[in-house]
Amino acid sequence: MLKLCEIGPLDRVACVGIGPLTLMVSFTSALEELGVGESYAYGVTANLKTSLVDLFHLNPTVIVTLPSILSHSLQAMSESKEKGELTALQKVVFVGESLPLDIRKTLNDNLGVEVFSYYGASETSALGIECRKHEGIHLFSDDYIFETDRTKRLIITTLKRQGLPLIRYNLGDLIEVIPGNCPCGLQYPRINIIGRSGIVTSIFGVKLNYATIRNACLSGLGDIYDMSVTITGTDHQKMTIVLPDTLSSFESHIKASISTKEPDLAYLINAGFLDLVLDFTSSFDLRHSRKRQQIVDFRNE
């Protein structure tokens, strides 16, 4: 897939993420097999402007990263280029999240950087990638059977996985199939990703699931309540969890439970990438409300 982006022996590729760098390290392993000049996993902190300084000095030709990191890095990238740094950067491959069109346009038009969308899922790993014609994402049908249900959500069956194969597994991603052949000549089917599943979201590449957050919040509290979870913010992101006011006296217990039972969320909070707000209300009934069994993400509005 990375060959389609024409990444090769002359490239210096930086895989930029927040720690733990498991995903980024897997990319560097693939890049080494591809035979690139240099590849490295580079970790950043919530203070992106400071932590990107050394990356800019490395002057990579390609950056593999997350849209949430890109959105917070554009100003620093522009300033670095004006200083005569980051002059070699030619391509950005983004993974894990949707990239707003305005960020793609800024990278293309202002920084002269070609942008590629890499598509995968935690259940499957790599599924497809955007080619250099930039007319959708090619799904690699050598390894999967792809279908859609009546709501146009993507269903996959694995063909080559010997351990934990998936049979007609609904990823929950809403897609649009692009008809016809791609000008690049590849015969793989092409799609656009319209939306991601409502029960799962990604913050700085960390996948968060409504059910696991709820279980962490309500662990040891007896009766099972549903709750609302919303994410807001652009420069700094905030997660607000609304619970029944009968649980307000357990606020400290709930926060401690999140820290121990939902370590990925705890990491985002403790590292300063995300603010957590617990809100308690009596204004509506949250018990067993299916409409609220999802994470509502307002970050792109």
Side-chain angles (χ1 to χ4, degrees):
M1 291 187 185
L2 294 173
K3 283 183 180 178
L4 284 184
C5 307
E6 296 185 11
I7 298 173
L10 299 180
D11 284 305
R12 301 185 302 277
V13 187
C15 301
V16 183
I18 66 170
L21 286 167
T22 307
L23 176 63
M24 296 295 111
V25 168
S26 69
F27 272 93
T28 59
S29 177
L31 290 163
E32 287 168 4
E33 290 192 22
L34 191 58
V36 301
E38 297 176 9
S39 64
Y40 29 85
Y42 188 92
V44 297
T45 66
N47 189 342
L48 283 173
K49 188 171 183 178
T50 299
S51 56
L52 288 170
V53 169
D54 289 333
L55 173 66
F56 295 159
H57 290 160
L58 290 171
N59 204 17
T61 61
V62 182
I63 291 177
V64 180
T65 192
L66 306 150
S68 47
I69 289 178
L70 280 173
S71 64
H72 290 72
S73 306
L74 281 179
Q75 183 178 352
M77 291 171 71
S78 298
E79 292 173 355
S80 180
K81 196 153 190 175
E82 289 173 2
K83 295 176 182 177
E85 302 170 340
L86 211 59
T87 53
L89 184 62
Q90 301 171 5
K91 299 168 186 174
V92 164
V93 181
F94 70 90
V95 305
E97 305 162 1
S98 297
L99 182 72
L101 289 176
D102 60 333
I103 296 178
R104 181 186 281 262
K105 183 174 174 60
T106 298
L107 288 166
N108 286 155
D109 298 346
N110 297 357
L111 297 178
V113 174
E114 191 174 8
V115 181
F116 297 87
S117 172
Y118 172 97
Y119 180 51
S122 56
E123 301 95 328
T124 62
S125 189
L127 291 170
I129 200 165
E130 183 178 344
C131 71
R132 295 203 70 179
K133 295 298 182 180
H134 305 290
E135 296 185 12
I137 295 169
H138 287 280
L139 295 178
F140 278 64
S141 49
D142 292 344
D143 298 320
Y144 303 92
I145 295 173
F146 298 100
E147 306 171 76
T148 58
D149 64 12
R150 60 182 179 82
T151 62
K152 297 185 178 180
R153 282 176 166 76
L154 187 62
I155 298 171
I156 65 165
T157 297
T158 56
L159 296 176
K160 297 181 180 179
R161 290 179 62 172
Q162 295 180 347
L164 298 177
L166 300 173
I167 301 174
R168 306 203 73 230
Y169 180 81
N170 193 329
L171 281 179
D173 291 343
L174 187 65
I175 67 164
E176 173 187 63
V177 178
I178 302 173
N181 295 324
C182 181
C184 77
L186 281 176
Q187 299 301 307
Y188 293 117
R190 291 176 297 150
I191 63 169
N192 286 321
I193 310 297
I194 300 173
R196 306 294 290 221
S197 174
I199 61 172
V200 177
T201 193
S202 174
I203 300 178
F204 288 98
V206 177
K207 292 290 180 71
L208 300 173
N209 183 289
Y210 173 88
T212 58
I213 294 173
R214 181 187 64 184
N215 292 341
C217 287
L218 302 176
S219 176
L221 296 181
D223 204 355
I224 301 299
Y225 293 86
D226 287 322
M227 61 193 190
S228 72
V229 181
T230 58
I231 301 174
T232 56
T234 51
D235 293 336
H236 196 82
Q237 293 167 25
K238 178 174 72 173
M239 174 182 285
T240 302
I241 299 175
V242 181
L243 293 157
D245 61 355
T246 54
L247 300 179
S248 60
S249 60
F250 296 98
E251 182 172 358
S252 296
H253 170 87
I254 293 170
K255 288 182 176 180
S257 182
I258 289 173
S259 295
T260 56
K261 298 184 180 298
E262 190 62 13
D264 288 340
L265 178 56
Y267 171 79
L268 289 171
I269 296 166
N270 294 333
F273 290 101
L274 179 71
D275 290 334
L276 175 66
V277 175
L278 297 183
D279 194 10
F280 301 90
T281 182
S282 60
S283 60
F284 52 87
D285 184 11
L286 286 165
R287 187 188 300 247
H288 308 310
S289 174
R290 289 189 177 273
K291 291 183 179 180
R292 297 193 178 94
Q293 292 179 0
Q294 60 181 348
I295 299 172
V296 182
D297 193 338
F298 292 112
R299 286 176 294 175
N300 290 330
E301 295 194 356

